[in-house]
Amino acid sequence: MGFLSLREDLANLVREYVSQSEDKEFYREPLVGFSSAKDQLFKNIKSNVGLEHLYPQDILPEAKTVISFFIPFSKSIVSSNQADESVSAEWAESYVKTNALINHISEKIIEYLNSIGIKAATIKATHNFDEKTLRAGWSHRSAAYAAGLGKFGVNRMLITKAGSAGRYGTVIMSQEITPDERPEEEYCLYYKNGSCLKCLKACPVNALSTDGFDRFKCYDRLLDVSKQFTDLGMCDVCGKCVVSCPLAVIDK
């Protein structure tokens, strides 16, 4: 199997599982990108993101390529959470179900790769962080940035060509694939021309600023919201900084 066909096979696999999902109406077409496990961004990840962040080789010693995929939410899911300060039931449900879908897709990718003699490993979609420091051992968004899927906005979310509203997954494999190029253009309107900042104004607990992010204020808000959706299990969501962004949904 050639590298080009493997690249396309993996992208098609992600698209297939999203399109065949029981909740396919929650989503738009996913994006898939590839980065080198030896990329300088990963080599510098501990200084750029945090000392607790793992290298790809910590997850898979034979790591050659990092596969990143983004599942963007539908316009209806995004608009459901725009009405007021409260979190919509649709947004909460989509968060929980999408995390499960990402884990499922990641495992299916691993099964496929293993079947053709390629080693692979994954990191669960969420709740892979230290509850005291609120810092994660792996940032799916940072990996997606390395894979050229988008650029970060002032709200600390990644803005892709499909928008910023959605969820990310990562699979690391032992096969080398030519990495995707990263975009140079800024997508975030604040970083582009100093305008907007709707995400900062939309944060119910003022956790965001142009200079930083108070992760503890944010997480307290998420835990408060989770009490409203106990039927969904652990549902620590908000998303107001995402849905308020003019680039939350971009039609490709």
Side-chain angles (χ1 to χ4, degrees), residues 46-222:
K46 290 186 183 291
S47 57
N48 292 337
V49 178
L51 294 175
E52 67 290 324
H53 200 289
L54 301 172
Y55 297 119
Q57 294 79 9
D58 293 327
I59 298 165
L60 183 73
E62 303 89 346
K64 295 286 182 62
T65 299
V66 179
I67 309 162
S68 294
F69 59 95
F70 173 61
I71 304 179
F73 291 138
S74 66
K75 290 182 179 179
S76 62
I77 292 295
V78 174
S79 61
S80 76
N81 200 37
Q82 292 174 328
D84 51 44
E85 190 174 302
S86 63
V87 173
S88 73
E90 295 89 343
W91 183 264
E93 182 182 8
S94 66
Y95 168 81
V96 172
K97 289 189 173 181
T98 308
N99 287 336
L101 177 60
I102 287 169
N103 291 337
H104 178 66
I105 291 173
S106 297
E107 292 301 330
K108 288 298 182 181
I109 289 174
I110 291 172
E111 286 181 16
Y112 169 70
L113 290 171
N114 287 170
S115 73
I116 56 174
I118 298 172
K119 294 181 180 180
T122 190
I123 309 93
K124 64 181 181 178
T126 191
H127 299 131
N128 59 345
F129 57 86
D130 185 298
E131 293 188 2
K132 291 183 179 179
T133 64
L134 301 184
R135 291 187 175 277
W138 184 265
S139 169
H140 293 289
R141 290 197 297 271
S142 294
Y145 170 76
L149 288 187
K151 296 199 75 171
F152 283 98
V154 71
N155 62 358
R156 280 66 181 174
M157 297 295 122
L158 202 67
I159 302 174
T160 76
K161 64 182 180 181
S164 58
R167 303 289 295 162
Y168 293 88
T170 308
V171 175
I172 300 169
M173 69 174 176
S174 61
Q175 176 65 57
E176 188 169 355
I177 286 184
T178 302
D180 290 301
E181 293 185 5
R182 290 189 277 273
E184 295 184 5
E185 179 188 1
E186 292 290 353
Y187 298 154
C188 173
L189 298 179
Y190 176 75
Y191 290 149
K192 195 169 188 176
N193 56 32
S195 67
C196 196
L197 292 181
K198 290 183 178 180
C199 57
L200 271 63
K201 299 169 186 174
C203 180
V205 293
N206 297 313
L208 282 170
S209 72
T210 56
D211 300 320
F213 165 58
D214 190 327
R215 65 185 68 248
F216 294 95
K217 276 187 179 180
C218 176
Y219 193 56
D220 284 344
R221 155 76 173 173
L222 303 185

